[in-house]
Amino acid sequence: METIRIKYFTDRIDRLTYIDGRSDWIDLRSAADVTLKAGEFKLIPLGVAMKLPEGYEAHVVPRSSTYKNFGIIQTNHFGIIDESYCGDGDQWYFPALAVRDTQIRINDRICQFRIMEHQPRICFEETERLEGENRGGFGSTGIR
């Protein structure tokens, strides 16, 4: 089991919890009340900074209900925080774009994260032919 040191920037959000057996994603919460108009962008503070283990990174994505509940999308669609972003002031943020007028309250669950090992070193070997089945070159069905 890995231990991750965490700094909270506020006492107004619930502490992070890992729900063993239900999901390996951990919810993150808004650390501020945020009002957004349709088309507006804001960095929503998540109220935490972490010291990830060497060789790991955090993958941050919206919760499945974030768009439905708040009408926001994550502008980078998939956030990556590596272990070098670990200073005392390196608070995590959610880059949000509103598609409708919305209100987010302190402690609302708006995104989730998991930690993953860095990709191993790889090299590419050029070839004239691949041995796999030709599936048509478009998506999983090959149908255009």
Side-chain angles (χ1 to χ4, degrees), residues 51-142:
K51 174 68 175 141
L52 298 176
E54 188 70 30
Y56 284 83
E57 62 195 21
H59 295 178
V60 181
V61 298
R63 298 181 75 244
S64 60
S65 61
T66 297
Y67 181 79
K68 174 183 65 79
N69 291 342
F70 303 107
I72 58 174
I73 58 174
Q74 183 174 347
T75 58
N76 58 354
H77 302 291
F78 185 97
I80 298 175
I81 301 171
D82 69 27
E83 75 272 21
S84 70
Y85 190 70
C86 61
D88 229 18
D90 288 339
Q91 181 172 197
W92 292 15
Y93 289 85
F94 181 84
L97 177 67
V99 297
R100 62 174 164 83
D101 293 357
T102 191
Q103 183 81 31
I104 299 161
R105 302 275 183 218
I106 290 175
N107 211 40
D108 281 344
R109 296 179 300 164
I110 59 171
C111 58
Q112 58 192 337
F113 81 100
R114 67 185 303 182
I115 65 164
M116 302 290 295
E117 285 188 84
H118 290 302
Q119 177 172 288
R121 281 187 66 94
I122 59 172
C123 65
F124 294 98
E125 179 182 289
E126 192 170 334
T127 184
E128 293 294 323
R129 178 152 175 78
L130 299 175
E131 304 304 320
E133 177 185 345
N134 185 354
R135 297 177 52 186
F138 187 80
S140 62
T141 65

Side-chain angles (χ1 to χ4, degrees), residues 11-25:
D11 288 330
R12 297 183 67 195
I13 60 172
D14 291 351
R15 296 314 192 228
L16 298 186
T17 57
Y18 182 81
I19 304 171
D20 197 24
R22 287 194 40 211
S23 174
D24 57 356
W25 291 83

Side-chain angles (χ1 to χ4, degrees), residues 26-51:
I26 300 164
D27 288 338
L28 292 165
R29 298 167 181 272
S30 175
D33 288 330
V34 177
T35 300
L36 290 155
K37 299 287 186 195
E40 190 175 4
F41 168 82
K42 283 191 181 171
L43 289 173
I44 300 174
L46 298 173
V48 296
M50 295 182 215
K51 174 68 175 141

